[in-house]
Amino acid sequence: MRKEWDKVAGDARRVLEGNRQRGVSAWGGQRYDFVCPSPTTYPFQWFWDSAFHAIALLHVDPELAKQEIRCLMQGARPDGFMPHMLLWEKSAHEAALREYSITLADPFYTATIQPPVVARAVLRIHEATGDTAFVREVLPPIRRFFRWLKAYRDPDDDGLVAIIQPDESGLDASPKYDRLMEISHDPPEETLPRLRRSMRRLFEAYAPYRSDPARIPALGTFTWEDVMVNAIYADGLRCLAKLTDLAHEAEEFAARASRVRAALETKSWDEKTGVFWDLAGWDDEPARTLTFSSLFPLILEDLDPRKATRLIDEHLLNEREFWLPYPVPSVAATEPSFDPTWRTNTTWRGPTWINVNWYLYWGLRAHGRRDIASELAERTVRMMASSGTREFYNPLTGEGQGARDFGWSTLVLDLIAAEGGNP
Ligand code: GLC
């Protein structure tokens, strides 16, 4: 095991170094210095990727972890909005840009959000360094973003935030959105072109309202309360409550964190199947496609222990659904859309991702299941030792897929450290 740890950790460090982008942007002459997800496929700065990179960088140099967040904060807008992509070197990557389905809010950033992992990253930096000056520096824009989410993305005021297009969860082509996006896994070569067409339709519907972002979720075109996004949101609020030194704010954020968790338990939990379902549209219709998202409230320490046990014992450890040779697949193997071999040539439709394993690892530990957490870490490391630091992996064979030298797969450094290795 030690030999595998060293090999995987060495490769992760190489990726974190090799993917660094540094320079001065045509965007107001701002300096940028961050780790990109992949120099070839994803040469820009992405919101949740950077938060994961910061956590991995803590095991290389805590100053680089802070730098990653500082660079990201340069994209924060005065009203609290934080874009999912910052296009620092826009002119150098026209070809990559043509591949994406995105809407720009400005020539240098998108009009889209991604899950607010950033609060957890800052808490981790604080725990590792004790640097309160850093926290004071970055907290104001992050706090504004969490207030923005509440103000602009909870039109029915139930505590759960809504996304307005699939990639706002970061899970761009997850089959859970297929019905609303009018796409299908069959024939596989049609999935991606159909997704692109549906994204264009959404963008056209939103175009007249871009100057008034509160209107868009209220349109109900794609108003989606995503379990993973809301679990990360609740976790982020809990982190903010720990980070702030204002007592009234700590109370506010802790209360909001509990409210989001309670809303998930009341509205998304399905007692019959023992999982959480995303809620689609104004009618909150449960989207019953079994993906890892349905297990994600496990990351919340205050989740009802009975529900946590059901998620783990009936689903995560179920060898027909999620406990495959190289867990955790993004889609349960029992789903007709499960695509481990990447036939649809698009993301989040079956393969295993390291950021998901990282979150679930800590969720398992939070719920006292250290043995399973260790087993998950061990299988993750074994898979990466033979396949490298890839974007995602075939959950049946462990074969690497997608981009090579992929940024957030370096989160494995945190797993190795947590398992007592030397990252
Ligand atoms: C893909 C992923 C998204 C990620 C981005 C950059 O679009 O679906 O979650 O942020 O790549 O890695």
Side-chain angles (χ1 to χ4, degrees), residues 121-142:
V122 172
L123 183 63
R124 289 293 295 268
I125 293 174
H126 184 243
E127 285 167 353
T129 63
D131 188 345
T132 47
F134 171 74
V135 173
R136 260 183 250 120
E137 174 192 336
V138 297
L139 202 57
I142 297 174

Side-chain angles (χ1 to χ4, degrees), residues 37 42 46 48-49 114 169-172 347-348 353 391 406 408:
Y42 308 109
W46 266 265
W48 76 330
D49 297 68
Q114 262 188 340
S169 66
L171 313 176
D172 311 19
T347 49
W348 302 103
W353 295 71
E391 188 176 2
F406 188 70
W408 79 40

Side-chain angles (χ1 to χ4, degrees), residues 23 205 236 255 287 315 317 340 351 367 389 412:
H315 299 285
L317 293 178
H367 290 281
T389 310
V412 72

